[in-house]
Each structure stands twice: as C-alpha cells, then as structure tokens.
Amino acid sequence: MPLGDDLRKELPAIGVQASWYGEPHHGRPTASGERFDRNRLTAAHRRLPFGTILKVTNLDNGRQVFVRVNDRGPFSPKRDLDLSEAAARRLGMLDAGEALVSIDPVERDEIAEARRMLQEPAQAAENSARRAGEMIARAKRR
C-alpha cells in the first residue's frame, strides 16, 4: 500500500525498538477488525495505514521479514513496533522479546517476494489442516 506524504517521513526508520505478541492475543480482534493470528506475518504500528507492507530487519543478526500492518500499538512509549510471534521467530528475537530493527517500505522489485512470504503461514496451516482431515478420513475407513 503506498504511503501518503504525511506518513512517508516515518520510513525508513533505523534503530526502532520492536517487541512481539502471541498466544494471549491469538484469535482476538485487532484494531483493523480481523482476528489476530500469531502464525501470520503481521505487525502493530501507531500510525501506518492498515494493509501497509513493511520490510523489517533485525539489526543484531541481519534477518529480514515482510509484515502487514493490521493492528494498532505498541502501547509502551519505549517501543515503536509490535510483531506477531511468527515475524519475531523469523527475525530471531523470540527469546529476547525485543530487538532493534529497521523498518523500510517495500520496493517495487520486492513486491512478489513480500506477497509470497505473507501467504506462507496461511498456506502451511491450510496444508496441515488438509493433511489432518485426510488422516481422519483414512482412519474412519479402517
């Protein structure tokens, strides 16, 4: 999602304090109205429009992830971005709980990769559910 001129000044942002949230919020509504899924690559930001796709880089280890803004927060003045558990896992910050990151808008040549990455967790869950259904069906046939 393109950013308006008033929000363009927020990105790129380097040295931003990020944290993550997961299980206690799983399934609850986000500020955008969709249900929070800790396994999706999403983020909460105070001002960026819902649907904005960001490239987040952990400055300690260089790992990157694309996330989609679907919630508001964080509510601590010490942090600027809250990431889903899946995003934090990809960035290698689960144990620490927080990390210094950079936040960049997605460049044109990264759009296809960002879309693929954002769909992976949903496809994995769908595949897992399908396999479970197949196993149950086979067990019933026995």
Side-chain angles (χ1 to χ4, degrees):
M1 167 177 271
L3 297 175
D5 290 337
D6 56 332
L7 293 173
R8 201 173 294 280
K9 63 184 174 212
E10 298 212 28
L11 299 174
I14 300 171
V16 170
Q17 190 69 36
S19 59
W20 66 272
Y21 60 126
E23 180 60 39
H25 302 278
H26 188 72
R28 293 185 177 179
T30 63
S32 67
E34 67 183 76
R35 297 266 176 214
F36 174 70
D37 183 342
R38 68 186 187 153
N39 301 306
R40 300 297 304 262
L41 299 173
T42 59
H45 191 276
R46 289 184 191 92
R47 294 170 297 280
L48 292 175
F50 295 135
T52 300
I53 299 173
L54 304 170
K55 180 170 64 174
V56 181
T57 305
N58 183 331
L59 297 177
D60 290 330
N61 61 22
R63 292 170 74 174
Q64 295 181 332
V65 68
F66 293 102
V67 296
R68 182 177 50 83
V69 176
N70 75 335
D71 205 359
R72 290 291 173 238
F75 297 103
S76 167
K78 296 178 182 179
R79 295 189 301 272
D80 299 297
L81 188 70
D82 268 343
L83 299 163
S84 66
E85 185 175 333
R89 182 178 297 107
R90 291 217 184 174
L91 290 173
M93 58 177 272
L94 278 180
D95 290 338
E98 296 182 339
L100 280 178
V101 301
S102 67
I103 307 171
D104 295 285
V106 176
E107 301 295 332
R108 285 192 188 275
D109 61 341
E110 298 172 318
I111 291 173
E113 180 185 359
R115 286 187 178 147
R116 180 192 53 76
M117 187 181 283
L118 290 170
Q119 290 175 356
E120 281 177 6
Q123 288 172 344
E126 190 176 296
N127 291 341
S128 178
R130 187 182 70 246
R131 284 192 303 273
E134 290 168 356
M135 288 173 56
I136 291 170
R138 280 195 301 270
K140 286 182 180 179
R141 287 191 295 251
R142 292 182 189 179

